[in-house]
Amino acid sequence: MDGGIPVRTIFRRRDSSAPRTLDIYDIAYLAGGPRRVARTALIRLREGGAIKFIGSRVRALRAGDPADHPIERALIKQCHPVGRDAYAAVAEVRYGPEMKKLGRELASYGLLGRPGQRLTPAGERVLESAREEAALPKYVFDGLAAVQDERLRTAIREATPYQGGLGASLVRMGEAIEDADEYDRELDSASDSASASDSASDWGSHSDGGHASCGSGCGGGGGGGD
């Protein structure tokens, strides 16, 4: 796999003049945080024949290739060659260095308030622009509700669950709670079986008040869909 479908919007870091084209995992992070990235990787690798689910386990059918995206390589490494419990494998990637680096990079472009925090206005424009371009699969934006294969949807949901316990109770009362992890702010769900849960944002419900500018590159890139 080539690591994602490029989004035509190009951004420049505040501390560098080098341009960068956002890919499918950048957009997945903006759309739903680390869990959406993990789910996107599972779907892409499964559709590409690189992994398969065997009950509650996931097995990589080949070793990671340098052409793979770092998130994909990390996931393949966790379950190649003998396979591993899907939840454990995904957890290693979801909280691993590759995911944290992805969050830091997006923050450095001014698209997140800081790694793991909610979108800045520039990030919101980028996400909307990417959706309008329609170059990426719907599950990047809409989550598991956009996955037609019910068995695959169930396997991925079980490998990347929402938080439960007190958080789920608060959601049932119409309130939201933030996950304490700096890099994985999540929207807790009372029921993962409902399609509404599948399509809900994987971000927390509280946004970070401040945001950083990414310079002239962000303002122009977030608009056009040429």
Side-chain angles (χ1 to χ4, degrees), residues 48-67:
I51 65 172
K52 69 176 180 178
F53 289 94
I54 307 171
S56 63
R57 298 178 66 81
V58 60
R59 179 184 176 189
L61 304 180
R62 61 170 174 78
D65 186 275

Side-chain angles (χ1 to χ4, degrees), residues 46-122:
R46 170 64 173 75
E47 290 181 339
I51 65 172
K52 69 176 180 178
F53 289 94
I54 307 171
S56 63
R57 298 178 66 81
V58 60
R59 179 184 176 189
L61 304 180
R62 61 170 174 78
D65 186 275
D68 292 325
H69 189 279
I71 295 294
E72 295 176 352
R73 288 200 300 271
L75 185 57
I76 289 172
K77 182 178 180 181
Q78 290 296 322
C79 49
H80 183 272
V82 297
R84 189 176 178 188
D85 174 78
Y87 180 86
V90 170
E92 291 288 343
V93 175
R94 190 165 154 186
Y95 301 104
E98 296 84 4
M99 192 72 74
K100 293 179 179 180
K101 180 180 179 182
L102 180 56
R104 288 195 298 268
E105 288 182 348
L106 292 172
S108 76
Y109 280 83
L111 305 181
L112 298 177
R114 59 176 179 156
Q117 293 293 326
R118 291 296 298 269
L119 302 182
T120 63

